[in-house]
Structure formats: C-alpha cells, structure tokens
Amino acid sequence: MPDSKEDQLLHRIRTHAFSRLPFNKRETTNLHLDEHVYKEGEKIGPEFQKIVAARPSILVFADHDPRANFGHDCSYLLYDAKSGDFHREFPARFPPIADVTKPKTLRPFHEPVAFVDTPIRFRWYPPIWRCPVILTEGTRYALLYSGMSNKRHLNDMEFLYRTLIDVYAFDPAHIYSLSYDGTLNTQDGVQTNWPGDGTPYRINITGQGNRAAFEAAVDTLKTKMHGLDTLLIHCNNHGDYDGTPGTSFLCTYPNWGKYYNADFSNKLAELPKFRQLIVMLEQCNSGGFNASILAKSPASATSVASAAIESQSSYVSADGNWDPFARDWIAAQAGHDPFGAALAFNPDTDGDGKIEAEEAFGYANAVKIALDSPNFSESSEAGGDIALGQQYRIWWWWCFILYEALEKYRIELPPKEYSERLRRLQPELTKLTAELDRTSDELRRDLKTKVKALVGSAFDKK
C-alpha cells in the first residue's frame, strides 16, 4: 500500500476510477490522473465544453476510444482534492490539456491501448513510376492545415509535403503549411526527425493552425490563382460535429476552437474560378464537409475524400505515428508508404501513369482499418479524374523514353537526391519535348538517344 497520505489519496482515486469501468471497457479505455489540482470555479478543458470545478478537485481523464482522433467520447471524473471522494462525472469530447507550453500533468495509470514510439520496420524503396513534370499548363498550389496537432498529424503532412516536392515537383513557394503554433511543435512536444526515414522534417510551416491563418492563405491565393490552376487542400488533426447534420467542424489552435464546415466552404467560395480542386480530409466527422465544399467550390472540377462520415471518428495507427486514411491516400500518390516500402497493389487502375483522385481514394479505402469510414464525393467525372501531376500538351510516349533512361537512378538513389537532380534537368527536358508536336517516328528514335545522354550527364557526375 502507498505510504504517505497523499499517495493513499491518489491510490484511492485511481482504484475508484478503474472500478467504475464496465468489464468490457477495461481493455479499451485509457485512464490518466491529472497532477494539477483544479481550484473552485476553474475551467477544465476547452471553453465550449463548459466544464467547471465546483470545489477544489483532482481530475481523472478517461479516454474511451484512444485510437480515435478527437472529438470522441471521453469523461472527466472529478474527486474532492482533500478527501478523495468522487463527486462528479462529466461526459466530454476533447481532452483537458492540449497546450504544449503548459506543464504536462496528465499521467497514465491504466493504459491498455498504448502506442509504440519506435516500431521495427523493414525499409525498402521500390517506388511506382510517375512521369516527371515537363511542360507547364497552369500552376499548382497546396494548402495543408492541422490545428491542434499531435505528432501523427504533422507526420502525415510531412509525408504529403515530400510527395508534392519529390514526386510531383511542386514549387515549395506554392505550398502553404499551417500547423499548431506555427512551428514543428505539437501536443506531443517539438518534433525533430520524421519517423518515415529518420531524417529531419523538411516541411516549411508557414503559419499557425487557426482560422485566421487558413483564411489569410485563401486571401493570398485569391490574388494568384487563374483559370488553368489546380489547388490541393489537405486538412488533418481533430474535428467533431454538434450532433445534427451539417454541423461538422475542424479544431483550431490554440484551444480547440471550432471552424464549421459552412464557414470553411464559404471562404473557399471567395477564390476566383480555376480548373480543379482536390481535397483530402482526415479529421473526425470530416465527411460533413463534402457536400458544402462541392456546393461552394469555384473550380470547374472538384473532388473531396474524407476519412470518416459525418457522425463517426477517424482513427490513429497502432504505433501512434500516422492517421491511416491520410497515410494511405498519400502513399497512393507517392507510389510507396512512408517507410519506402511497396504498396499493397498499384493504385493506377486504368494504367495511364497518373493517380487520379478516385484512384487515391480507392486505394486508401481498400486497405483501410475497420474503424474508419472513408467517403468520396465528386462534382463530376472530371472531379474524380483530378491528378496532382501537371497538365501537359505533348505526345504521351515521352514518359516511356524517360522511364528507360531514369530507372536505374530512381532505384539506386535516395528519393530526395533523385528528385533534386531530376528538377535540375527539367528545363532542358522542356526544350527537348517542345519539338514533339512537330515530329515523326524518326524524331522519336533520335530523341531517345538525346534523353539518355542528358540524363547520364546529370546522374553520372561524381
């Protein structure tokens, strides 16, 4: 038994909290004791939950679905700070503490659902071929958002950022990345090395994960976007809904603010008309955004892929490092998983060398964990056909010539080095391919030789 009176009081509280769990919940609920003593009248958790300590209290936080992103069912159990007597249980949807600048006072004492920080992974890099961008038609932009970020949300965004840069040759200046307090900070602390390959994070965080920063990014895009442009929007972190259809919201930094789907979609409606909008949403209850985005999108073609229907949560991977739906959607676009390993199958179901919005969703949905409830919406068939690769107006067979010339370097070199070298030679490739519309099969044979020589000069240099 505990020795001191304080230890005995806390032991009594822990024992009572555990004993309240139904038998069938004891292997699925995590219990945390808050070392902070709440004063009478002190607010506990997000403002909108309206939970206040009626007396000096000790809190036990019961997470009833630990692998789900918030919001989801949880409970605040309050005990008298002097006697340890139980006096109130509050149903809740979000945890009591999220600000990383404040001391971490929640300590788990019953954690049947635990995450492993450093799982053992076999690493192999057999990426699926994606044709490099050659001739520009329209500009591609990306807006990545995560409000109350945990490390898993930042990890997902890093994977997408690397995919946009390394696979699809996005201009980094056209990627707006908004997360938590505007740094690599998260609710789990400051992140340094990405778990995918153990290297430092490369994502350039351009602002905080709040409504003001998101709308400021949209305002900037309003001055830049034109008719042939493409916009990717990815939202991660947490969300919930108010219990009735049409009330889904994203959580915003710093204290679980609500950014409702109607306000989000109305802001997107301010963009000028452009070619295509592709949206991927990971947060809980994200499916509640689909219809409003389609209704308000100024794009000629729009698609929205969401991790969960409006009434359901989305979930975290067993190791705590990823959100499976976002991870797998991005993996379909990248051609490999975050660890460089092969995919379960080739998402390119029509074999045209590009991954369309409905193909990325189809892959993520096919390999989904049972807890998620992915859903997909499109404005038209053109919405489902949106791809992240640049639009081009040249003969299709240039891709096969490049494939033969680049294949050995693509396999041998690390992805970052390969993509950097490829970007260096793209201006020269553009000059070569500009001739294709005016040539014949004889030029094809000649061009094949030139491309091989050009690639060799860039990749064979020591």
Side-chain angles (χ1 to χ4, degrees):
M1 290 291 294
D3 295 328
S4 70
K5 288 185 178 180
E6 180 182 4
D7 288 342
Q8 290 176 16
L9 180 141
L10 295 181
H11 179 72
R12 180 185 178 199
I13 291 173
R14 294 187 186 101
T15 301
H16 180 271
F18 178 78
S19 67
R20 283 178 60 85
L21 289 176
F23 184 78
N24 64 342
K25 295 288 187 182
R26 293 184 179 181
E27 292 304 311
T28 59
T29 296
N30 287 352
L31 298 176
H32 302 73
L33 188 141
D34 195 340
E35 295 176 347
H36 170 73
V37 175
Y38 289 87
K39 300 176 182 178
E40 181 179 349
E42 185 175 354
K43 296 176 182 176
I44 308 175
E47 180 83 24
F48 61 81
Q49 291 189 157
K50 303 186 184 305
I51 298 175
V52 178
R55 66 182 82 167
S57 300
I58 293 174
L59 166 71
V60 170
F61 172 60
D63 188 346
H64 301 304
D65 200 356
R67 287 190 61 192
N69 287 304
F70 288 100
H72 64 255
D73 289 340
C74 51
S75 300
Y76 295 3
L77 308 178
L78 297 184
Y79 295 82
D80 187 279
K82 291 184 178 180
S83 67
D85 291 340
F86 173 73
H87 65 85
R88 185 73 186 272
E89 177 177 359
F90 289 95
R93 297 287 293 176
F94 292 89
I97 299 171
D99 191 344
V100 77
T101 63
K102 296 180 179 179
K104 287 185 176 293
T105 56
L106 280 181
R107 298 289 181 262
F109 64 90
H110 176 67
E111 197 172 29
V113 183
F115 302 126
V116 179
D117 287 335
T118 55
I120 297 173
R121 298 283 186 179
F122 177 71
R123 299 178 187 272
W124 183 46
Y125 184 75
I128 295 172
W129 171 255
R130 300 281 187 266
C131 291
V133 176
I134 298 296
L135 186 62
T136 298
E137 184 177 59
T139 302
R140 294 163 303 155
Y141 297 92
L143 176 49
L144 317 182
Y145 170 89
S146 180
M148 297 298 293
S149 305
N150 292 98
K151 64 180 180 181
R152 60 184 178 270
H153 308 124
L154 180 62
N155 290 339
D156 295 340
M157 291 212 301
E158 173 73 13
F159 188 19
L160 181 53
Y161 183 86
R162 292 186 183 209
T163 298
L164 296 178
I165 298 294
D166 296 346
V167 178
Y168 293 107
F170 269 58
D171 184 340
H174 294 159
I175 302 176
Y176 303 85
S177 303
L178 314 174
S179 182
Y180 204 61
D181 62 359
T183 71
L184 293 178
N185 216 346
T186 70
Q187 292 187 56
D188 305 305
V190 177
Q191 305 302 298
T192 54
N193 291 328
W194 185 57
D197 63 5
T199 60
Y201 286 82
R202 291 164 52 192
I203 188 171
N204 178 31
I205 303 297
T206 58
Q208 293 187 354
N210 55 37
R211 176 173 178 166
F214 182 89
E215 295 191 346
V218 174
D219 288 339
T220 299
L221 290 170
K222 284 160 56 175
T223 68
K224 296 178 179 291
M225 295 190 68
H226 301 287
L228 293 177
D229 294 347
T230 295
L231 174 61
L232 163 69
I233 295 179
H234 167 55
C235 295
N236 213 302
N237 100 110
H238 301 280
D240 202 0
Y241 84 132
D242 289 344
T244 57
T247 60
S248 294
F249 60 84
L250 268 169
C251 291
T252 62
Y253 179 84
N255 191 32
W256 304 103
K258 296 182 178 182
Y259 193 8
Y260 283 97
N261 72 87
D263 297 329
F264 178 97
S265 301
N266 285 335
K267 188 62 185 179
L268 295 183
E270 297 178 11
L271 290 168
K273 292 186 181 301
F274 59 101
R275 180 188 296 217
Q276 48 195 15
L277 170 64
I278 178 171
V279 182
M280 187 264 280
L281 307 172
E282 170 56 41
Q283 76 273 11
C284 290
N285 312 94
S286 50
F289 280 65
N290 287 36
S292 60
I293 290 175
L294 289 186
K296 296 292 186 176
S297 172
S300 299
T302 302
S303 71
V304 187
S306 302
I309 61 175
E310 184 173 27
S311 60
Q312 298 295 320
S313 297
S314 62
Y315 285 81
V316 58
S317 61
D319 62 5
N321 281 328
W322 318 97
D323 290 289
F325 177 77
R327 176 198 62 198
D328 297 333
W329 189 95
I330 300 164
Q333 297 284 2
H336 55 84
D337 76 4
F339 305 100
L343 301 182
F345 61 88
N346 187 351
D348 184 15
T349 54
D350 61 7
D352 65 356
K354 60 183 179 181
I355 299 301
E356 297 162 355
E358 57 191 356
E359 290 176 328
F361 173 81
Y363 180 83
N365 190 45
V367 301
K368 71 179 179 70
I369 62 172
L371 295 168
D372 276 339
S373 53
N375 54 111
F376 181 76
S377 303
E378 58 186 10
S379 59
S380 63
E381 184 59 32
D385 291 343
I386 298 171
L388 294 178
Q390 189 63 271
Q391 302 293 316
Y392 40 83
R393 306 180 302 275
I394 60 177
W395 289 95
W396 55 268
W397 43 256
W398 67 271
C399 186
F400 294 96
I401 295 174
L402 278 171
Y403 177 85
E404 294 176 7
L406 288 170
E407 181 66 359
K408 70 174 184 177
Y409 307 105
R410 186 174 68 94
I411 297 299
E412 293 173 357
L413 292 176
K416 183 180 179 182
E417 182 179 352
Y418 168 79
S419 62
E420 287 176 348
R421 294 199 189 191
L422 182 59
R423 274 199 298 275
R424 272 185 241 147
L425 63 86
Q426 282 181 334
E428 292 302 317
L429 284 172
T430 299
K431 293 177 184 178
L432 288 178
T433 56
E435 304 173 29
L436 293 180
D437 286 331
R438 304 186 303 273
T439 60
S440 63
D441 289 342
E442 288 78 14
L443 178 58
R444 177 177 179 177
R445 290 191 292 269
D446 180 55
L447 186 64
K448 183 175 181 178
T449 301
K450 290 180 180 179
V451 169
K452 284 187 175 181
L454 179 60
V455 170
S457 67
F459 285 84
D460 290 335
K461 289 180 179 179
K462 300 297 183 182

